[in-house]
Amino acid sequence: MRKPIIVGNWKMHTTIAEARALAAELAVLLRNVYEVEVGLCPPFVSLSAVRSAIGDTPLKLGAQNMHDQDQGAFTGEVSPRMLAGLVDYVIIGHSERRLLFGERDDFINRKVRSALRHGIRPILCVGETLEQNERGETEAVLLRQLEHGLEGISAEEAHQVTIAYEPVWAIGTGRAATPQDAQARCAFVRQRLRAQFGAVADAMRIQYGGSVNATNAGDILKQPDVDGALVGGASLKAAEFVRIVQAAM
Ligand code: PEP
């Protein structure tokens, strides 16, 4: 009942020409894939080029971040008003934004609400660090991030939100969560969503992210509460990304 969603986060990789070429390759390889929703999140400067390259294929486009304000004196920032009409999604609260750029839950919540106001579907990232995991704080961290991140969101709006459970210790490390752990955490996230949104939570999609590759994707994606993956490194290689998409079919 929930359509799987695989999204590639290209992070700060690819020039405009490289992004265009990768998107064009994926547009050919994935042009007939309708049973899995596939999104590409290139760097800001390549959004237009990738939008053109994916043309009228079913591929979707996402931004990796945005500011919450429509406009203003925020040097270097990109606003939801600039992204509206260009992208389908925006990744919000990625752990790299939280940890390297000091983004806090209240700012992340304002971005989620702002994205929804502009018709951009937020992918809200949550997840614990290694230290938090080792201290047994994972569920408390997830609860805090979800509670703050989704504050003020109605059940109608929640339909538009995807949650990405991304344990920080698994991102870019080659050490993915086990399928059982990914399932347990995603089920925990859904339980929290149910407390806020009721039955709508059963229609919301929850991704796992953290060192997903063509080899481990199948076992992770067949877990009942894992509705897709947010993929970093492996999304930069067309053939591998396609195999991850196929694993979701
Ligand atoms: C990410 O950055 O969201 C991510 C999951 O990265 P990787 O797949 O490289 O671990």
Side-chain angles (χ1 to χ4, degrees):
M1 122 186 135
R2 295 184 294 266
K3 185 171 179 171
I5 175 169
I6 306 290
V7 173
N9 171 14
W10 296 359
K11 308 196 188 195
M12 199 174 72
H13 296 290
T14 69
T15 61
I16 296 176
E18 288 162 353
R20 184 186 291 117
L22 179 56
E25 198 179 348
L26 289 168
V28 172
L29 295 169
L30 298 170
R31 67 189 179 284
N32 294 322
V33 174
Y34 289 90
E35 62 268 56
V36 177
E37 190 175 312
V38 183
L40 310 179
C41 299
F44 284 122
V45 293
S46 298
L47 284 171
S48 293
V50 171
R51 171 55 80 199
S52 301
I54 62 182
D56 57 7
T57 68
L59 288 173
K60 306 261 190 257
L61 183 67
Q64 299 175 17
N65 180 33
M66 63 169 215
H67 199 273
D68 69 306
Q69 301 289 304
D70 282 4
Q71 59 191 344
F74 301 104
T75 301
E77 289 293 310
V78 172
S79 88
R81 202 165 147 253
M82 298 167 188
L83 294 172
L86 175 62
V87 302
D88 304 287
Y89 325 114
V90 59
I91 299 173
I92 293 178
H94 190 281
S95 59
E96 287 153 16
R97 301 296 320 169
R98 292 178 190 261
L99 297 170
L100 304 176
F101 299 95
E103 291 195 7
R104 298 163 56 103
D105 286 319
D106 54 338
F107 188 28
I108 289 165
N109 175 250
R110 291 201 303 277
K111 294 183 193 215
V112 171
R113 293 202 282 192
S114 180
L116 289 167
R117 266 200 309 280
H118 285 86
I120 305 170
R121 290 155 52 196
I123 298 176
L124 172 64
C125 299
V126 296
E128 82 285 4
T129 63
L130 183 61
E131 295 70 33
Q132 290 166 333
N133 182 290
E134 286 173 347
R135 286 199 299 261
E137 294 171 4
T138 299
E139 295 194 347
V141 170
L142 294 180
L143 280 182
R144 193 200 75 227
Q145 291 177 339
L146 289 166
E147 187 182 329
H148 290 292
L150 296 172
E151 202 177 315
I153 305 300
S154 69
E156 292 75 54
E157 291 172 317
H159 274 292
Q160 305 300 318
V161 179
T162 297
I163 306 294
Y165 166 61
E166 299 208 302
V168 178
W169 48 267
I171 295 181
T173 59
R175 187 185 150 210
T178 63
Q180 294 70 27
D181 281 349
Q183 163 58 22
R185 303 309 189 199
C186 290
F188 179 79
V189 169
R190 196 176 308 283
Q191 195 187 322
R192 170 65 186 77
L193 296 176
R194 237 179 243 129
Q196 185 172 354
F197 304 120
V200 170
D202 293 311
M204 292 176 72
R205 292 177 300 181
I206 303 172
Q207 299 173 303
Y208 166 78
S211 295
V212 172
N213 58 37
T215 308
N216 62 22
D219 285 339
I220 293 172
L221 292 169
K222 71 176 180 229
Q223 302 303 314
D225 284 289
V226 180
D227 305 314
L230 184 54
V231 185
S235 70
L236 291 164
K237 297 170 234 157
E240 177 145 25
F241 188 61
V242 168
R243 284 175 61 205
I244 294 170
V245 172
Q246 287 164 342
M249 288 177 177

